Coordinates of all heavy atoms in Angstrom, one line a residue:
M7 N -8.5 -3.9 7.9 CA -7.8 -3.7 6.7 C -6.4 -4.3 6.7 O -5.7 -4.1 7.7 CB -7.7 -2.2 6.5 CG -6.8 -1.8 5.4 SD -6.9 0.0 4.9 CE -6.6 0.8 6.5
S8 N -6.1 -5.1 5.8 CA -4.7 -5.7 5.8 C -3.7 -4.7 5.4 O -3.9 -3.8 4.6 CB -4.7 -6.9 4.8 OG -4.7 -6.4 3.4
A9 N -2.5 -4.8 6.0 CA -1.4 -3.9 5.8 C -0.7 -4.3 4.5 O 0.4 -4.9 4.6 CB -0.5 -3.8 7.0
H10 N -1.3 -4.1 3.4 CA -0.7 -4.6 2.1 C -1.0 -3.5 1.0 O -2.2 -3.2 0.9 CB -1.3 -5.9 1.7 CG -1.0 -6.4 0.4 ND1 -1.9 -6.4 -0.6 CD2 0.2 -6.8 -0.2 CE1 -1.3 -6.9 -1.8 NE2 0.0 -7.1 -1.5
C11 N 0.0 -3.1 0.3 CA -0.2 -2.1 -0.7 C -0.4 -2.8 -2.0 O 0.4 -3.7 -2.4 CB 1.1 -1.2 -0.8 SG 1.0 0.0 -2.1
Q12 N -1.4 -2.4 -2.8 CA -1.7 -3.0 -4.1 C -0.8 -2.6 -5.2 O -0.5 -3.4 -6.1 CB -3.1 -2.6 -4.5 CG -4.3 -3.2 -3.7 CD -5.6 -2.7 -4.2 OE1 -5.9 -1.6 -4.0 NE2 -6.4 -3.7 -4.7
L13 N -0.2 -1.4 -5.1 CA 0.8 -1.0 -6.2 C 2.2 -1.4 -5.9 O 2.8 -2.0 -6.8 CB 0.7 0.5 -6.2 CG 1.5 1.2 -7.3 CD1 1.1 0.7 -8.7 CD2 1.5 2.7 -7.3
T14 N 2.7 -1.2 -4.8 CA 4.1 -1.5 -4.5 C 4.3 -2.9 -3.9 O 5.4 -3.5 -3.9 CB 4.8 -0.5 -3.5 OG1 4.1 -0.6 -2.3 CG2 4.7 0.9 -4.1
G15 N 3.3 -3.5 -3.4 CA 3.4 -4.8 -2.8 C 4.0 -4.8 -1.4 O 4.4 -5.8 -0.9
A16 N 4.0 -3.6 -0.8 CA 4.6 -3.5 0.6 C 3.8 -4.3 1.6 O 2.5 -4.2 1.6 CB 4.7 -2.1 1.0
R17 N 4.4 -5.1 2.4 CA 3.8 -5.9 3.4 C 4.4 -5.7 4.7 O 5.5 -5.2 4.7 CB 3.8 -7.4 3.0 CG 3.0 -7.8 1.8 CD 3.1 -9.3 1.6 NE 2.2 -9.7 0.5 CZ 0.9 -10.1 0.6 NH1 0.4 -10.0 1.8 NH2 0.2 -10.4 -0.4
P18 N 3.9 -6.2 5.8 CA 4.5 -6.0 7.1 C 5.9 -6.8 7.1 O 6.0 -7.8 6.5 CB 3.5 -6.6 8.1 CG 2.2 -6.6 7.4 CD 2.5 -6.7 6.0
R19 N 6.8 -6.1 7.8 CA 8.1 -6.8 8.1 C 8.2 -7.1 9.6 O 7.5 -6.5 10.3 CB 9.3 -5.8 7.7 CG 9.2 -5.2 6.3 CD 10.0 -6.0 5.4 NE 9.9 -5.4 4.1 CZ 9.9 -6.1 3.0 NH1 10.0 -7.4 3.0 NH2 9.9 -5.5 1.8
F20 N 9.0 -8.0 9.9 CA 9.1 -8.4 11.3 C 10.5 -8.2 11.8 O 11.5 -8.3 11.0 CB 8.7 -9.9 11.5 CG 7.3 -10.1 11.1 CD1 6.9 -10.4 9.8 CD2 6.3 -9.9 12.1 CE1 5.6 -10.6 9.5 CE2 4.9 -10.1 11.7 CZ 4.6 -10.4 10.4
G21 N 10.6 -7.9 13.1 CA 12.0 -7.6 13.7 C 11.9 -7.7 15.2 O 11.0 -8.3 15.7
N22 N 12.8 -7.1 15.8 CA 12.8 -7.1 17.3 C 12.9 -5.7 17.9 O 13.5 -4.8 17.3 CB 14.1 -7.8 17.8 CG 14.1 -9.3 17.5 OD1 13.1 -10.0 17.8 ND2 15.1 -9.8 16.8
T23 N 12.2 -5.5 19.0 CA 12.4 -4.3 19.8 C 13.5 -4.7 20.8 O 13.4 -5.7 21.5 CB 11.1 -4.0 20.6 OG1 10.0 -3.8 19.6 CG2 11.3 -2.8 21.5
V24 N 14.5 -3.8 20.9 CA 15.6 -4.1 21.8 C 15.5 -3.1 22.9 O 15.6 -1.9 22.7 CB 17.0 -4.0 21.0 CG1 18.1 -4.3 22.0 CG2 17.0 -4.9 19.8
S25 N 15.4 -3.6 24.2 CA 15.3 -2.7 25.3 C 16.6 -2.2 25.7 O 17.7 -2.6 25.2 CB 14.6 -3.5 26.5 OG 15.5 -4.4 26.9
H26 N 16.6 -1.3 26.7 CA 17.9 -0.8 27.3 C 18.8 -1.9 27.8 O 20.0 -1.8 27.7 CB 17.5 0.2 28.4 CG 18.7 0.8 29.0 ND1 19.5 1.7 28.4 CD2 19.3 0.6 30.3 CE1 20.5 2.1 29.2 NE2 20.4 1.4 30.3
S27 N 18.2 -2.9 28.4 CA 18.9 -4.1 28.9 C 19.3 -5.1 27.8 O 19.9 -6.1 28.1 CB 18.2 -4.8 30.0 OG 17.0 -5.4 29.5
H28 N 19.0 -4.8 26.6 CA 19.3 -5.5 25.4 C 18.4 -6.8 25.3 O 18.8 -7.7 24.6 CB 20.7 -5.9 25.3 CG 21.3 -5.7 23.9 ND1 21.3 -4.5 23.3 CD2 21.8 -6.6 23.0 CE1 21.8 -4.6 22.1 NE2 22.1 -5.9 21.9
R29 N 17.3 -6.9 26.0 CA 16.3 -8.0 25.8 C 15.6 -7.7 24.5 O 15.4 -6.6 24.1 CB 15.3 -8.0 26.9 CG 15.7 -8.6 28.2 CD 14.6 -8.5 29.2 NE 14.8 -9.3 30.3 CZ 14.4 -10.6 30.4 NH1 13.7 -11.1 29.4 NH2 14.6 -11.3 31.5
R30 N 15.3 -8.8 23.8 CA 14.6 -8.7 22.5 C 13.3 -9.3 22.5 O 13.1 -10.4 23.0 CB 15.5 -9.4 21.4 CG 16.7 -8.6 21.2 CD 17.7 -9.3 20.3 NE 18.9 -8.4 20.3 CZ 19.9 -8.6 19.5 NH1 19.9 -9.6 18.7 NH2 20.9 -7.7 19.5
T31 N 12.3 -8.5 22.0 CA 10.9 -9.0 21.9 C 10.5 -8.8 20.4 O 10.9 -7.8 19.8 CB 10.0 -8.3 22.9 OG1 10.1 -6.9 22.7 CG2 10.3 -8.7 24.3
S32 N 9.7 -9.6 19.9 CA 9.2 -9.5 18.5 C 8.3 -8.3 18.3 O 7.6 -8.0 19.2 CB 8.5 -10.8 18.1 OG 9.3 -11.9 18.1
R33 N 8.4 -7.7 17.2 CA 7.6 -6.6 16.8 C 7.3 -6.7 15.3 O 7.9 -7.5 14.6 CB 8.1 -5.3 17.2 CG 9.4 -4.9 16.5 CD 9.7 -3.4 16.5 NE 8.7 -2.8 15.7 CZ 8.6 -1.4 15.5 NH1 9.5 -0.7 16.1 NH2 7.7 -0.9 14.8
R34 N 6.4 -5.9 14.9 CA 6.0 -5.9 13.5 C 6.0 -4.5 12.9 O 5.5 -3.5 13.6 CB 4.5 -6.4 13.5 CG 3.9 -6.4 12.1 CD 2.5 -7.1 12.3 NE 1.5 -6.6 11.3 CZ 0.7 -7.3 10.7 NH1 0.5 -8.6 11.0 NH2 -0.2 -6.8 9.9
F35 N 6.6 -4.3 11.8 CA 6.7 -3.0 11.1 C 5.7 -3.0 10.0 O 5.9 -3.6 9.0 CB 8.1 -2.8 10.5 CG 9.3 -2.7 11.5 CD1 10.0 -3.9 11.8 CD2 9.6 -1.5 12.0 CE1 11.0 -3.8 12.7 CE2 10.7 -1.5 12.9 CZ 11.3 -2.6 13.3
D36 N 4.6 -2.2 10.2 CA 3.5 -2.1 9.2 C 3.8 -0.9 8.2 O 4.3 0.1 8.7 CB 2.2 -1.9 9.9 CG 1.6 -3.1 10.5 OD1 1.9 -4.2 10.0 OD2 1.0 -3.0 11.6
P37 N 3.5 -1.1 6.9 CA 3.7 0.0 6.0 C 2.5 1.0 6.3 O 1.5 0.6 6.9 CB 3.5 -0.6 4.7 CG 2.8 -1.9 4.9 CD 3.2 -2.3 6.3
N38 N 2.7 2.3 5.9 CA 1.7 3.3 6.1 C 0.6 3.2 5.0 O 0.8 3.8 4.0 CB 2.4 4.7 6.1 CG 1.4 5.8 6.4 OD1 0.3 5.6 6.7 ND2 1.9 7.0 6.2
V39 N -0.3 2.3 5.3 CA -1.3 2.0 4.2 C -2.6 2.8 4.4 O -3.1 2.9 5.5 CB -1.6 0.4 4.3 CG1 -2.8 0.1 3.4 CG2 -0.4 -0.3 3.9
Q40 N -3.1 3.4 3.3 CA -4.3 4.2 3.3 C -5.3 3.7 2.3 O -4.8 3.1 1.3 CB -4.0 5.7 3.0 CG -2.8 6.2 3.8 CD -3.2 6.4 5.2 OE1 -4.3 6.7 5.6 NE2 -2.2 6.2 6.1
R41 N -6.6 3.9 2.4 CA -7.6 3.6 1.4 C -7.9 4.8 0.7 O -8.2 5.8 1.3 CB -8.8 2.9 2.0 CG -8.5 1.5 2.4 CD -9.7 0.7 2.7 NE -10.8 0.8 1.8 CZ -11.2 -0.2 1.0 NH1 -10.6 -1.4 1.0 NH2 -12.2 -0.1 0.2
K42 N -7.7 4.9 -0.6 CA -8.0 6.1 -1.4 C -8.8 5.8 -2.6 O -8.7 4.7 -3.2 CB -6.6 6.6 -1.8 CG -6.6 8.0 -2.3 CD -5.4 8.8 -2.0 CE -5.3 10.1 -2.7 NZ -6.3 11.0 -2.4
R43 N -9.7 6.7 -2.9 CA -10.6 6.5 -4.1 C -10.2 7.4 -5.2 O -9.9 8.6 -5.0 CB -12.0 6.9 -3.6 CG -13.1 6.6 -4.6 CD -14.4 6.9 -4.0 NE -14.8 8.3 -4.2 CZ -16.0 8.7 -4.5 NH1 -17.0 7.8 -4.6 NH2 -16.2 10.0 -4.7
Y44 N -10.0 6.9 -6.4 CA -9.6 7.6 -7.6 C -10.7 7.4 -8.7 O -11.3 6.4 -8.8 CB -8.3 7.1 -8.1 CG -7.1 7.3 -7.3 CD1 -6.6 6.4 -6.4 CD2 -6.4 8.6 -7.4 CE1 -5.5 6.6 -5.6 CE2 -5.3 8.8 -6.6 CZ -4.9 7.9 -5.7 OH -3.7 8.1 -5.0
W45 N -10.8 8.5 -9.5 CA -11.7 8.4 -10.7 C -10.9 7.8 -11.8 O -9.8 8.3 -12.1 CB -12.2 9.8 -11.0 CG -13.0 9.9 -12.3 CD1 -12.6 10.4 -13.5 CD2 -14.3 9.3 -12.5 NE1 -13.6 10.2 -14.4 CE2 -14.6 9.6 -13.9 CE3 -15.2 8.7 -11.7 CZ2 -15.8 9.2 -14.4 CZ3 -16.4 8.3 -12.3 CH2 -16.7 8.5 -13.6
L46 N -11.4 6.8 -12.4 CA -10.7 6.1 -13.5 C -11.5 6.5 -14.8 O -12.6 5.9 -15.1 CB -10.7 4.6 -13.3 CG -9.9 3.7 -14.1 CD1 -8.4 4.2 -14.0 CD2 -10.0 2.3 -13.7
P47 N -11.0 7.5 -15.6 CA -11.7 8.0 -16.7 C -12.0 6.9 -17.8 O -13.0 6.9 -18.5 CB -10.9 9.1 -17.3 CG -9.8 9.3 -16.3 CD -9.8 8.2 -15.4
S48 N -11.1 6.0 -18.0 CA -11.2 5.0 -19.1 C -12.4 4.1 -18.9 O -13.0 3.6 -19.8 CB -9.9 4.2 -19.3 OG -9.7 3.5 -18.1
E49 N -12.7 3.9 -17.6 CA -13.8 3.0 -17.3 C -15.0 3.7 -16.7 O -16.0 3.1 -16.3 CB -13.4 1.9 -16.3 CG -12.3 1.0 -16.8 CD -11.8 0.0 -15.8 OE1 -12.5 -0.3 -14.8 OE2 -10.7 -0.6 -16.1
S50 N -14.9 5.1 -16.6 CA -16.0 5.9 -16.1 C -16.5 5.5 -14.8 O -17.7 5.3 -14.6 CB -17.1 6.0 -17.1 OG -16.7 6.5 -18.4
R51 N -15.6 5.2 -13.9 CA -16.0 4.8 -12.5 C -14.9 5.1 -11.5 O -13.8 5.4 -11.9 CB -16.3 3.3 -12.5 CG -15.1 2.4 -12.7 CD -15.4 0.9 -12.7 NE -14.2 0.1 -12.8 CZ -13.7 -0.7 -11.8 NH1 -14.3 -0.7 -10.6 NH2 -12.7 -1.4 -12.0
Y52 N -15.3 5.1 -10.3 CA -14.3 5.3 -9.2 C -13.7 3.9 -8.8 O -14.4 2.8 -8.9 CB -15.0 5.8 -8.0 CG -15.2 7.3 -8.0 CD1 -16.5 7.7 -8.4 CD2 -14.2 8.2 -7.8 CE1 -16.8 9.1 -8.4 CE2 -14.5 9.6 -7.9 CZ -15.8 10.0 -8.2 OH -16.0 11.4 -8.3
V53 N -12.4 3.9 -8.5 CA -11.8 2.7 -7.9 C -11.3 3.0 -6.6 O -10.7 4.1 -6.3 CB -10.7 2.1 -8.8 CG1 -11.2 1.6 -10.1 CG2 -9.6 3.2 -9.1
R54 N -11.4 2.1 -5.6 CA -10.9 2.3 -4.3 C -9.6 1.4 -4.1 O -9.8 0.2 -4.3 CB -11.9 2.0 -3.2 CG -11.5 2.4 -1.8 CD -12.6 2.1 -0.8 NE -13.8 2.9 -1.1 CZ -14.0 4.2 -0.7 NH1 -13.0 4.8 0.0 NH2 -15.1 4.8 -0.9
L55 N -8.5 2.0 -3.9 CA -7.3 1.3 -3.8 C -6.7 1.4 -2.3 O -6.9 2.4 -1.6 CB -6.2 1.9 -4.7 CG -6.6 1.9 -6.2 CD1 -5.6 2.6 -7.0 CD2 -6.8 0.5 -6.7
T56 N -6.0 0.3 -2.0 CA -5.3 0.3 -0.7 C -3.9 0.5 -1.0 O -3.2 -0.4 -1.6 CB -5.5 -1.1 0.0 OG1 -6.9 -1.3 0.2 CG2 -4.8 -1.1 1.4
L57 N -3.3 1.7 -0.7 CA -2.0 2.1 -1.1 C -1.2 2.6 0.1 O -1.7 3.1 1.0 CB -2.1 3.3 -2.1 CG -2.9 3.0 -3.4 CD1 -3.1 4.3 -4.1 CD2 -2.2 2.0 -4.2
S58 N 0.1 2.4 0.0 CA 1.0 3.0 1.0 C 1.2 4.5 0.6 O 0.9 4.9 -0.5 CB 2.4 2.2 0.9 OG 3.0 2.4 -0.3
A59 N 1.8 5.2 1.6 CA 2.0 6.6 1.3 C 2.9 6.9 0.2 O 2.7 7.7 -0.6 CB 2.5 7.3 2.6
K60 N 3.9 6.0 0.0 CA 4.8 6.1 -1.1 C 4.1 5.8 -2.4 O 4.3 6.5 -3.4 CB 6.0 5.1 -0.9 CG 7.0 5.1 -2.1 CD 8.0 4.0 -1.9 CE 9.0 4.0 -3.1 NZ 9.9 2.9 -3.0
A61 N 3.2 4.9 -2.5 CA 2.4 4.5 -3.7 C 1.5 5.7 -4.0 O 1.2 5.9 -5.2 CB 1.7 3.3 -3.5
I62 N 0.9 6.4 -3.1 CA 0.1 7.5 -3.4 C 0.9 8.6 -4.1 O 0.4 9.2 -5.1 CB -0.6 8.1 -2.0 CG1 -1.6 7.1 -1.5 CG2 -1.3 9.4 -2.3 CD1 -2.1 7.4 -0.1
K63 N 2.1 8.8 -3.7 CA 3.0 9.8 -4.4 C 3.3 9.3 -5.8 O 3.4 10.1 -6.7 CB 4.2 10.0 -3.6 CG 4.0 10.7 -2.3 CD 5.3 10.8 -1.4 CE 5.0 11.2 0.0 NZ 6.1 11.1 0.8
T64 N 3.5 8.0 -5.9 CA 3.7 7.4 -7.3 C 2.5 7.6 -8.2 O 2.7 8.0 -9.4 CB 4.0 5.9 -7.1 OG1 5.2 5.8 -6.2 CG2 4.4 5.3 -8.5
V65 N 1.3 7.4 -7.7 CA 0.1 7.6 -8.5 C 0.0 9.1 -8.9 O -0.3 9.4 -10.0 CB -1.1 7.2 -7.7 CG1 -2.4 7.6 -8.4 CG2 -1.2 5.7 -7.5
D66 N 0.4 10.0 -8.0 CA 0.3 11.4 -8.3 C 1.3 11.7 -9.5 O 1.0 12.6 -10.3 CB 0.7 12.3 -7.1 CG -0.4 12.2 -6.1 OD1 -1.6 11.8 -6.4 OD2 -0.2 12.6 -4.9
S67 N 2.4 11.1 -9.5 CA 3.4 11.4 -10.6 C 3.2 10.7 -11.9 O 3.3 11.3 -12.9 CB 4.8 11.1 -10.1 OG 5.1 9.8 -10.0
I68 N 2.8 9.4 -11.9 CA 2.6 8.6 -13.1 C 1.2 8.6 -13.6 O 0.9 8.3 -14.8 CB 3.1 7.2 -13.0 CG1 2.2 6.3 -12.0 CG2 4.5 7.1 -12.6 CD1 2.5 4.9 -12.0
G69 N 0.2 8.9 -12.8 CA -1.2 9.0 -13.2 C -1.9 7.7 -12.8 O -1.2 6.6 -12.6
I70 N -3.2 7.8 -12.6 CA -4.0 6.7 -12.2 C -4.1 5.5 -13.2 O -4.1 4.4 -12.9 CB -5.4 7.1 -11.7 CG1 -6.2 5.9 -11.1 CG2 -6.2 7.7 -12.8 CD1 -5.6 5.3 -9.9
E71 N -4.1 5.9 -14.5 CA -4.2 4.9 -15.6 C -3.0 4.0 -15.6 O -3.1 2.8 -15.7 CB -4.4 5.6 -16.9 CG -5.6 6.4 -17.1 CD -6.9 5.6 -17.2 OE1 -6.8 4.4 -17.5 OE2 -8.0 6.2 -17.1
A72 N -1.8 4.6 -15.5 CA -0.6 3.8 -15.5 C -0.5 3.0 -14.2 O 0.0 1.9 -14.2 CB 0.6 4.8 -15.6
A73 N -0.9 3.5 -13.1 CA -0.9 2.8 -11.8 C -1.8 1.6 -11.9 O -1.4 0.5 -11.4 CB -1.3 3.7 -10.6
V74 N -3.0 1.8 -12.4 CA -3.9 0.6 -12.5 C -3.4 -0.4 -13.5 O -3.5 -1.7 -13.2 CB -5.3 1.1 -13.0 CG1 -6.2 0.0 -13.4 CG2 -6.0 1.9 -11.9
A75 N -2.7 0.0 -14.5 CA -2.1 -0.9 -15.4 C -1.0 -1.7 -14.7 O -0.8 -3.0 -14.9 CB -1.5 -0.2 -16.7
R76 N -0.2 -1.1 -13.9 CA 0.8 -1.8 -13.1 C 0.2 -2.8 -12.1 O 0.7 -3.9 -11.9 CB 1.7 -0.8 -12.3 CG 2.7 -0.1 -13.1 CD 3.7 0.7 -12.2 NE 4.5 1.6 -12.9 CZ 5.3 2.5 -12.4 NH1 5.5 2.4 -11.1 NH2 6.1 3.2 -13.2
I77 N -0.8 -2.4 -11.5 CA -1.5 -3.3 -10.5 C -2.0 -4.5 -11.2 O -1.9 -5.7 -10.8 CB -2.7 -2.6 -9.7 CG1 -2.0 -1.5 -8.8 CG2 -3.5 -3.6 -9.0 CD1 -3.1 -0.6 -8.2
R78 N -2.6 -4.3 -12.4 CA -3.2 -5.5 -13.2 C -2.1 -6.3 -13.7 O -2.2 -7.6 -13.8 CB -4.1 -5.0 -14.3 CG -5.4 -4.4 -13.7 CD -6.3 -4.0 -14.8 NE -7.6 -3.7 -14.3 CZ -8.4 -2.7 -14.7 NH1 -8.0 -2.0 -15.8 NH2 -9.6 -2.5 -14.1
A79 N -0.9 -5.7 -14.0 CA 0.2 -6.5 -14.6 C 0.8 -7.4 -13.4 O 1.3 -8.5 -13.7 CB 1.3 -5.6 -15.0
R80 N 0.7 -7.0 -12.2 CA 1.2 -7.8 -11.1 C 0.1 -8.9 -10.7 O 0.4 -9.7 -9.8 CB 1.4 -6.9 -9.8 CG 2.4 -5.9 -9.9 CD 2.6 -5.1 -8.6 NE 3.3 -5.9 -7.6 CZ 2.8 -6.2 -6.4 NH1 1.6 -5.7 -6.1 NH2 3.4 -6.9 -5.6
G81 N -1.0 -8.9 -11.4 CA -2.0 -9.9 -11.1 C -3.1 -9.4 -10.1 O -3.9 -10.2 -9.6
G82 N -3.0 -8.1 -9.7 CA -4.0 -7.6 -8.8 C -5.4 -7.4 -9.4 O -5.5 -7.1 -10.6
K83 N -6.4 -7.5 -8.6 CA -7.8 -7.3 -9.1 C -8.2 -5.9 -8.7 O -8.0 -5.5 -7.5 CB -8.7 -8.3 -8.5 CG -10.1 -8.3 -9.0 CD -10.9 -9.4 -8.5 CE -12.4 -9.2 -8.9 NZ -13.4 -9.3 -7.9
I84 N -8.8 -5.2 -9.6 CA -9.3 -3.8 -9.3 C -10.8 -3.8 -9.2 O -11.5 -4.3 -10.1 CB -8.9 -2.8 -10.4 CG1 -7.4 -2.8 -10.5 CG2 -9.4 -1.4 -10.1 CD1 -6.6 -2.0 -9.5

């Protein structure tokens, strides 16, 4: 599963791990991405979305219909 949120567009960020001796090594910061299934009443079907934890809370507050509209406005395929 790619670490990419369909709603917020969150993708991995890159940075450094800094040791006690201040040596730097590359690391990757992945978003907390989950696969979640929602019932979409307007289309009478379930949709499975790859969402970050923050996006799941957003869907809970704005509703699945508005969230799907936002994903489609960004050019995402559902």
